[in-house]
Amino acid sequence: MENPQTWEEVDIWRKAERQRLAAGRLALSVEQRASLTREIIARLNQAVEITPGRIISAYFPYRGEPDLRPWMAQISSRGARVALPIVATKNAPLTFRLWTPEARLERGVLGIPVPAGTEEVTPDVVLAPCLGFDRSCYRLGYGGGYFDRTLAAFEKRPLAIGVAFAPFQIETIFPQPHDIPMDRIVTDQAIWTPV
């Protein structure tokens, strides 16, 4: 489907595109992903101001996503407070719990580790992994709508940054009214802001 027009057509297109992008990411070797991730981390250090006490929500890697755990430990040692997103209720906004390298973890939704019993916080910065992204800084995720729902629910919106491998930039995600663009997309090649 080259140019979907209706929401139903966009939904069909997105499902196929998600499968294509996920397969492409998993086709990257471990070494390729690690190399690209190092470049992403270098750019995150430019894109995110790290100050003591600032709450930055990152994520644990899932299905070949950039592995930001070394960066999370680094910014934690510099005084930032790191949080991880939690799916507490299906089809509801995410919640966020503090994480440290010493935090006890438990299995969350999809088996992704989450902090066990740490303080729930409101982040100043939210990093969201992207399967794909477009030049207007819309991200294509797994389709659950959690990050869009969460950003829409914040009283004071945090800085929202999508994290992606550059080869997975697409022309458009065909944004719909519920889609919320990121303030920035950080890749291994660039830091994008919406056009």
Side-chain angles (χ1 to χ4, degrees):
M1 185 173 309
E2 199 122 327
N3 196 11
Q5 301 295 315
T6 66
W7 168 242
E8 291 75 20
E9 290 175 347
V10 169
D11 191 41
I12 292 166
W13 178 87
R14 284 185 177 186
K15 284 178 183 168
E17 192 66 359
R18 284 185 185 102
Q19 290 178 346
R20 183 187 74 79
L21 293 166
R25 191 170 65 195
L26 288 172
L28 296 172
S29 71
V30 172
E31 294 79 18
Q32 286 173 307
R33 283 197 301 266
S35 176
L36 296 174
T37 297
R38 283 190 293 276
E39 294 297 324
I40 287 170
I41 287 172
R43 283 177 178 73
L44 280 173
N45 285 325
Q46 299 167 19
V48 180
E49 184 180 358
I50 308 302
T51 55
R54 191 169 200 201
I55 301 172
I56 300 169
S57 172
Y59 59 86
F60 268 39
Y62 175 71
R63 298 190 69 209
E65 292 171 345
D67 185 352
L68 303 183
R69 290 176 292 182
W71 183 72
M72 291 161 53
Q74 176 194 75
I75 66 171
S76 179
S77 73
R78 292 168 52 196
R81 299 175 76 199
V82 179
L84 293 177
I86 312 289
V87 176
T89 305
K90 192 174 179 179
N91 299 320
L94 298 164
T95 60
F96 300 86
R97 283 195 216 144
L98 285 178
W99 170 90
T100 64
E102 301 79 31
R104 186 174 65 80
L105 301 173
E106 61 190 13
R107 293 280 169 202
V109 170
L110 303 174
I112 301 170
V114 297
T118 60
E119 180 186 352
E120 199 169 296
V121 294
T122 300
D124 301 303
V125 179
V126 172
L127 303 185
C130 308
L131 274 170
F133 68 99
D134 66 24
R135 185 59 190 89
S136 296
C137 290
Y138 283 99
R139 66 181 281 278
L140 192 63
Y142 290 104
Y146 284 99
F147 280 99
D148 290 319
R149 197 176 293 115
T150 301
L151 291 174
F154 277 112
E155 202 169 292
K156 180 183 174 208
R157 183 178 154 159
L159 177 66
I161 299 177
V163 178
F165 294 128
F168 302 105
Q169 181 177 356
I170 57 179
E171 188 176 330
T172 181
I173 73 158
F174 297 100
Q176 301 299 298
H178 64 271
D179 292 314
I180 297 176
M182 299 287 103
D183 298 305
R184 298 176 189 149
I185 300 280
V186 174
T187 76
D188 45 285
Q189 294 182 3
I191 300 170
W192 297 99
T193 53
V195 291

